[in-house]
């Protein structure tokens, strides 16, 4: 539910900035357990209340994603570790980052527990709202850094 939430949020921000023809956004999970499924209904409802549409079907990240995309953004350290293991080279590995590294005021070099986006799947509705807030801040920070050319 976090990945499609981040994808939809970033798409919305990219469209608002008029950059939808310059920036491609996609999402994928590190595991195969939800492949082909729609985004979680609770996440979809929480996002819709904010005017964000979660669409599409889940897919699993592949090595090709490292050549197709400039950045692979993970929601937590566990997923980041999977991306690092999947990366075909050290250069590809450096493309994988945690979303919360991009939050304004965060130390981008830190990779501690405080940089994980919590998984709301087994919690209540408030968790999906919290994820939307965190994802929005991270996506805004990422887009700002991309626009400023602050990222390699």
């Amino acid at each position: 539910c976090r990945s499609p939430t981040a994808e939809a949020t970033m798409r919305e921000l990219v469209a608002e900035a008029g950059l939808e023809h310059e920036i491609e956004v996609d999402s994928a999970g590190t595991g195969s357990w939800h492949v082909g499924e729609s985004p979680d209904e609770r996440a979809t409802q929480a996002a819709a209340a904010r005017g964000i549409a979660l669409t599409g079907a889940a897919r699993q990240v592949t090595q090709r994603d490292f050549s197709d995309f400039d950045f692979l953004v993970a929601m937590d350290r566990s997923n980041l570790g999977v991306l690092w293991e999947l990366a075909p080279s050290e250069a590809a590995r450096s493309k994988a980052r945690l979303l919360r590294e991009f939050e304004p005021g965060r130390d981008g070099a830190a990779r501690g527990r405080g940089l994980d986006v919590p998984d709301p799947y087994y919690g209540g509705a408030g968790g999906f709202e919290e994820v939307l807030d965190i994802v929005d801040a991270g996506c805004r920070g990422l887009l700002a850094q991309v626009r400023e050319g602050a990222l390699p």
Side-chain angles (χ1 to χ4, degrees):
C1 51
R2 294 173 295 175
S3 181
T5 297
E7 175 190 359
T9 299
M10 190 64 162
R11 278 188 197 284
E12 185 76 20
L13 294 171
V14 166
E16 286 175 10
L19 298 171
E20 61 272 25
H21 299 294
E22 297 175 44
I23 297 176
E24 181 179 354
V25 180
D26 196 5
S27 67
T30 56
S32 62
W33 47 91
H34 292 293
V35 169
E37 295 179 16
S38 298
D40 183 282
E41 186 174 320
R42 297 164 297 168
T44 301
Q45 290 173 351
R50 296 185 186 202
I52 301 169
L54 271 60
T55 60
R59 69 176 185 87
Q60 188 172 5
V61 69
T62 67
Q63 280 191 342
R64 183 177 173 147
D65 289 320
F66 287 92
S67 60
D68 288 349
F69 296 97
D70 294 327
F71 301 103
L72 283 79
V73 181
M75 297 297 116
D76 61 36
R77 291 174 300 133
S78 174
N79 288 308
L80 181 63
V82 172
L83 291 175
W84 283 350
E85 289 176 17
L86 184 61
S89 69
E90 191 61 35
R93 187 176 193 245
S94 70
K95 290 182 171 190
R97 306 272 296 274
L98 289 166
L99 178 64
R100 292 193 83 172
E101 290 180 44
F102 300 102
E103 282 182 15
R106 287 281 183 164
D107 178 8
R111 296 198 186 274
R113 179 174 213 83
L115 292 179
D116 286 355
V117 176
D119 187 348
Y121 191 78
Y122 295 105
F128 293 92
E129 294 297 330
E130 178 186 15
V131 166
L132 278 161
D133 292 340
I134 292 168
V135 164
D136 183 71
C139 287
R140 286 180 187 280
L142 173 56
L143 182 58
Q145 288 188 35
V146 168
R147 292 183 79 181
E148 293 168 6
L151 298 171

